[in-house]
């Protein structure tokens, strides 16, 4: 279900970039766990981190097809990934009390929850909403009809994908979402 953005969120997003977030995961099953996260700030700067599964004995669900898609090896997570505790502390520090936008909020919220659950920590007040609803609100505020909104949003997604020239890595997908906002809001 796509949560409709408030008028204040739309008005703000016309002038200042919202924050976008993306997770990559070990698989798409119910036992999957987050392996990479990236988010953008209002200036479009991206922060990204690999996440090590070392601290959580339950994080064993690894899918080679998913690894092939995101091109992250399990050994890379073990060598270069940040600890779950470190990631939870950082996400709490940087993203608590924020609303972020994603193209897959159900999945991204699930993996955010799994991260905090692994350390038996309470999930901070981080809201992840669907970016399509916000982009549609921005375009409606710019006097586009419903048909124009659907067409423009599809065009913006194609243009953004071309600009970013990659996907299935958290930083690339976060950049892609930011580019869609840039086009929809006229900040390109």
């Amino acid at each position: 279900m796509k949560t409709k953005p408030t008028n204040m969120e739309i008005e703000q997003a016309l002038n200042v970039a919202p924050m976008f977030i993306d997770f990559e995961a070990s698989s798409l099953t119910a036992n999957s766990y987050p392996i990479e996260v990236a988010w953008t700030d209002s200036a479009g700067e991206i922060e990204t981190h690999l996440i090590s599964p070392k601290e959580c004995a339950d994080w064993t669900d690894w899918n080679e097809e998913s690894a092939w898609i995101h091109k992250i090896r399990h050994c890379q997570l073990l060598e270069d990934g940040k600890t779950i505790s470190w990631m939870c502390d950082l996400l709490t520090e940087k993203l608590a009390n924020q609303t972020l936008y994603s193209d897959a909020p159900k999945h991204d919220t699930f993996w955010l929850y799994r991260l905090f659950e692994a350390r038996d920590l309470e999930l901070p007040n981080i809201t992840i909403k669907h970016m399509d609803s916000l982009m549609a609100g921005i375009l409606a505020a710019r006097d586009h009809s419903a048909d124009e909104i659907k067409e423009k949003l599809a065009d913006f997604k194609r243009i953004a994908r071309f600009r970013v020239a990659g996907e299935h890595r958290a930083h690339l997908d976060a950049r892609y979402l930011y580019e869609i906002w840039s086009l929809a809001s006229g900040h390109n």
Side-chain angles (χ1 to χ4, degrees):
M1 183 174 112
K2 296 181 184 176
T3 306
K4 188 174 179 181
T6 66
N7 289 337
M8 186 167 66
E9 288 171 327
I10 293 168
E11 185 65 34
Q12 184 177 4
L14 282 165
N15 301 306
V16 178
M19 296 175 76
F20 297 100
I21 191 167
D22 186 75
F23 280 92
E24 296 301 323
S26 62
S27 73
L28 294 176
T29 71
N31 293 323
S32 65
Y33 56 89
I35 62 170
E36 184 180 41
V37 63
W39 62 90
T40 64
D41 65 16
S42 61
E45 296 298 316
I46 298 172
E47 185 159 348
T48 186
H49 300 281
L50 292 173
I51 304 165
S52 173
K54 282 183 201 176
E55 287 181 89
C56 189
D58 294 348
W59 283 12
T60 58
D61 181 55
W62 184 258
N63 181 284
E64 287 300 326
E65 286 181 39
S66 293
W68 183 83
I69 290 169
H70 51 61
K71 302 196 180 5
I72 299 171
R73 297 178 322 278
H74 192 263
C75 63
Q76 186 179 0
L77 298 175
L78 297 174
E79 292 170 13
D80 302 331
K82 304 293 185 188
T83 66
I84 297 167
S85 298
W86 187 90
M87 279 306 317
C88 289
D89 289 345
L90 182 68
L91 290 168
T92 299
E93 175 191 330
K94 301 270 185 154
L95 304 180
N97 302 312
Q98 299 291 328
T99 297
L100 295 97
Y101 293 88
S102 163
D103 57 356
K106 182 178 176 184
H107 286 102
D108 290 331
T109 299
F110 172 74
W111 291 315
L112 178 67
Y113 173 79
R114 291 275 290 156
L115 191 62
F116 281 82
E117 176 188 53
R119 299 308 313 145
D120 201 27
L121 296 171
E122 186 175 323
L123 189 64
N125 183 25
I126 299 172
T127 303
I128 302 175
K129 294 184 177 183
H130 204 291
M131 58 89 56
D132 281 358
S133 298
L134 181 64
M135 297 307 115
I138 288 171
L139 292 170
R142 297 181 72 206
D143 296 324
H144 293 287
S145 70
D147 288 339
E148 289 174 325
I149 290 169
K150 187 175 181 179
E151 184 178 317
K152 284 195 170 292
L153 190 52
D155 288 344
F156 293 157
K157 287 179 179 183
R158 280 191 292 277
I159 294 166
R161 187 54 69 202
F162 177 77
R163 284 183 178 178
V164 173
E167 60 186 319
H168 301 301
R169 285 300 300 263
H171 69 284
L172 294 173
D173 291 344
R175 170 60 60 200
Y176 164 74
L177 298 174
Y178 181 86
E179 289 294 330
I180 294 169
W181 167 82
S182 171
L183 291 160
S185 64
H187 289 264
N188 52 341

